[in-house]
Amino acid sequence: MICGDILEIEDLKELELVAGQKGLYRHVRWLYFADSMRVVNDTFYEDPEKYSHWIQGGELMVITNEDIIQNDEFVSKLVYNSEEKCASGIIIQKDKTTPFLMNLANEKNIPLFELPWTIRLIDLSQIISTRIVNEKNIYTSLESLLSSILYGNYSSEEDVIKMGLIYHFDFGRECVLARIEIRDRENEEYIKNLIRNAFDNQGIRYVIVLPEPDGLLVLFPSDTLDQKQIQSIFVSIGMSYWNKEKVRIQVGISLRKNGILQYKEARNEALLAVKFADDQHQYVQWYRNLGIYKVLGCISQTEPLYAFYQEILGKLEVSDSVSHGNLCETLKVYMDCNCNALDASKRLYIHRNTMRYRLNKIEEILDISLNDIHTLFLLNTAFEIKHFLTAIKS
């Protein structure tokens, strides 16, 4: 469930949103009765960073202790850490809200609710916890459906679509599959929360996040999103994770697909794209932008690719190894500069005469002419194959 759902619960209609309306898209994973923080108050002031361990992401925090609410320094750390760790919101007793807390909640888009005395804490806990469990069951069922599609043990496309609609996901819509590389399984739930918050912020309530070895698959409807919006969603996820963990994640995104029969293909596209996601320090790589790597990715055996690369550039690598030279790098930069020797020499910070000497040496070793367009095509293909083989090996 998201914070906005709380306002639609009939039994909680007296609960009032007083600040942080722009954060109503935040997902709620559980209730956390934060009055217990008072017992670690002294430790908290000695080292405010220790407080971050009390928040894991997705908490809807309930605070009734007036000592906490009235302490502006404590409240400031509470809200800032809540925003950093993707907590969902804060509930406090009615008439205990301070202007300071309201301003912070609005600044950080943390929904702030006031709890009237007519709602008992035990009732609040039961009502919200029941909704959370029900929604968790929905996500678990959707993950199982996607798993059955990808691994080929579903009954029929029609049955899957019908089951998906029961759980609020339309498998008949145009969808995109993304692969997020992550090796830290301890933060899996945190990233799931980031993903759902990011899509909710774009008006997409249900996305399917399926755990896989060293990563997550994300299936989402794409018919209402353009490429720029999708890019923005995953960049924001990557930046949020970097801000918290100082670890960069990579994302590979498939082509748009219509129908579950194309999902296996989408997964392969996303898996290939993510291998190139760290080029130029990008968070996100699209399969549509892979160029020749889309063709190379269809080749099941890599031995012929390696043999081709060795045939074209092997002698130059041997020469570099024996003489501790950098002729391979020189050739690659020369071709990246559209065979402009002057531009290449500037990029390599060498004199143009040194550049000319190296190019002549390359032609001599490989017994080629760098003025021949067919030769340049073979050289460029060999470099692309090397890059491809390095990426899939990693």
Side-chain angles (χ1 to χ4, degrees), residues 169-170 173-177 199 204 219-227 229-230 253-258 286:
F169 193 93
D170 186 358
R173 291 176 65 180
E174 176 192 276
C175 290
V176 164
L177 196 66
F199 277 96
I204 296 179
L219 181 72
F220 57 93
S222 57
D223 50 356
T224 61
L225 300 172
D226 59 28
Q227 181 171 339
Q229 289 172 310
I230 296 173
I253 302 180
S254 75
L255 299 176
R256 298 172 187 263
K257 303 297 180 181
N258 288 288
W286 294 72

Side-chain angles (χ1 to χ4, degrees), residues 144-155:
S144 296
L145 282 173
L146 179 57
S147 179
S148 69
I149 293 169
L150 294 175
Y151 307 122
N153 55 355
Y154 63 93
S155 54

Side-chain angles (χ1 to χ4, degrees), residues 176 178 180 191-205 207 218 220-222 224-241 249 251 253 256 283-284 286:
V176 164
I180 298 180
I191 292 186
K192 283 185 176 182
N193 204 50
L194 285 179
I195 294 168
R196 288 168 182 152
N197 283 344
F199 277 96
D200 258 316
N201 198 26
Q202 291 289 336
I204 296 179
R205 177 61 185 277
V207 298
V218 185
F220 57 93
S222 57
T224 61
L225 300 172
D226 59 28
Q227 181 171 339
K228 185 177 180 180
Q229 289 172 310
I230 296 173
Q231 179 86 9
S232 176
I233 287 172
F234 284 102
V235 168
S236 71
I237 293 168
M239 291 180 65
S240 296
Y241 192 69
I249 64 173
V251 183
I253 302 180
R256 298 172 187 263
Y283 283 120
V284 182
W286 294 72

Side-chain angles (χ1 to χ4, degrees), residues 283-332:
Y283 283 120
V284 182
Q285 182 61 267
W286 294 72
Y287 179 77
R288 62 182 294 179
N289 296 334
L290 290 186
I292 192 174
Y293 302 132
K294 290 188 287 187
V295 178
L296 298 177
C298 296
I299 302 175
S300 58
Q301 299 294 325
T302 59
E303 288 81 3
L305 296 177
Y306 181 77
F308 177 84
Y309 166 74
Q310 285 296 315
E311 178 185 345
I312 303 299
L313 290 173
K315 292 180 180 179
L316 205 60
E317 282 197 332
V318 171
S319 174
D320 278 346
S321 177
V322 171
S323 63
H324 304 289
N326 52 5
L327 294 180
C328 279
E329 178 192 9
T330 299
L331 178 58
K332 184 67 169 67

